[in-house]
Amino acid sequence: MTVTEIAIIRVYAGITDSTLRDTFSRAITVQDAWHARAFPDRPSSASARAVACFRGIDDETQILLTTSWGSVEEHWAWILSDDNKQQMEGPDLTKIIANQGPPNQPGGLILFHLDTNIFGNNQATTGKDVIALLDSPVISVERFLVDTEKKESFAATLQKVEASMEKVVHPHLVRSGRSVDRETGGEEFVLVSGWSCVESHTQEFVASSQSFLYSQLVGIASSEETQHYRRFL
């Protein structure tokens, strides 16, 4: 099953886009080469694996990294590899990344995987008259924590919300997935949408007739968090 990696890290304040772009480009090149060696029968380029880097709009120290992997285990093979460890401990990344400690531990980066290929070749699956999520000027990433006993109701409502939002976001896209990592504390779902600007989401969509279903979705969840990002690589 293809999964989507979502990694959220912190960088030090004042880091420029050009520095981020140069640093992460070098890191991605190393990952490409490792992937080609580990999985020689599969495409290993960053574009084939939907590798992308986004910067927070409201909080520019927040960086979102995403990659499509063949499985969670495949991604962990990369995390535990010497190539990755050398990068994480090297001067390129340590001088810009503020997170310290293992993933999902106090002070560490946030890392989870969604059960579908969120950022894959959207245009190939939906037609040429759409703007792929990786090409949208802005994306919103909405994380919902849901009590286990409410997950079926939430999932059914989420399907309706996606269909409703598609009418508003077009030619951009909306996609969702469920975290496959969470073992306690309920279920986590993520909704990713493309927008022309932040206001298209926070004002135009909120004022539209399509937003009532979204309000029902939030009502089912035990918590919700929304962040907006712009892609820099």
Side-chain angles (χ1 to χ4, degrees), residues 17-193:
D17 277 5
S18 60
T19 296
L20 289 173
R21 193 176 298 112
D22 291 346
T23 302
F24 283 106
S25 289
R26 289 192 290 271
I28 290 168
T29 298
V30 174
Q31 188 185 83
D32 288 348
W34 175 88
H35 192 277
R37 294 194 304 273
F39 308 100
D41 59 333
R42 305 228 307 270
S44 294
S45 68
S47 59
R49 296 182 296 115
V51 178
C53 305
F54 297 84
R55 188 167 200 169
I57 292 176
D58 298 319
D59 179 1
E60 289 204 335
T61 67
Q62 186 164 290
I63 305 298
L64 184 147
L65 311 178
T66 183
T67 304
S68 296
W69 296 93
S71 65
V72 174
E73 292 75 19
E74 180 179 303
H75 183 206
W76 274 101
W78 158 250
I79 293 172
L80 298 174
S81 71
D82 290 339
D83 295 56
N84 182 58
K85 290 177 181 178
Q86 288 171 9
Q87 287 195 98
M88 296 303 294
E89 296 169 1
D92 263 13
L93 292 179
T94 55
K95 70 182 179 183
I96 67 169
I97 295 179
N99 300 96
Q100 301 293 329
N104 301 324
Q105 298 298 316
L109 59 84
I110 297 170
L111 175 66
F112 57 95
H113 303 85
L114 302 178
D115 61 354
T116 187
N117 189 2
I118 294 282
F119 293 98
N121 190 352
N122 300 138
Q123 289 180 328
T125 58
T126 58
K128 295 182 179 180
D129 61 335
V130 300
I131 299 173
L133 286 171
L134 293 184
D135 295 329
S136 293
V138 170
I139 63 166
S140 60
V141 178
E142 302 176 73
R143 300 174 63 191
F144 301 89
L145 187 60
V146 181
D147 293 338
T148 301
E149 62 270 21
K150 296 181 179 180
K151 68 177 183 179
E152 299 298 335
S153 174
F154 185 90
T157 305
L158 181 58
Q159 268 192 317
K160 297 176 182 177
V161 166
E162 282 192 69
S164 177
M165 287 185 69
E166 284 176 351
K167 301 174 183 178
V168 179
V169 304
H170 186 80
H172 300 277
L173 295 172
V174 55
R175 294 287 184 266
S176 67
R178 182 183 65 85
S179 171
V180 297
D181 306 272
R182 183 173 289 276
E183 297 179 352
T184 59
E187 302 277 346
E188 183 172 10
F189 293 82
V190 175
L191 182 67
V192 182
S193 309

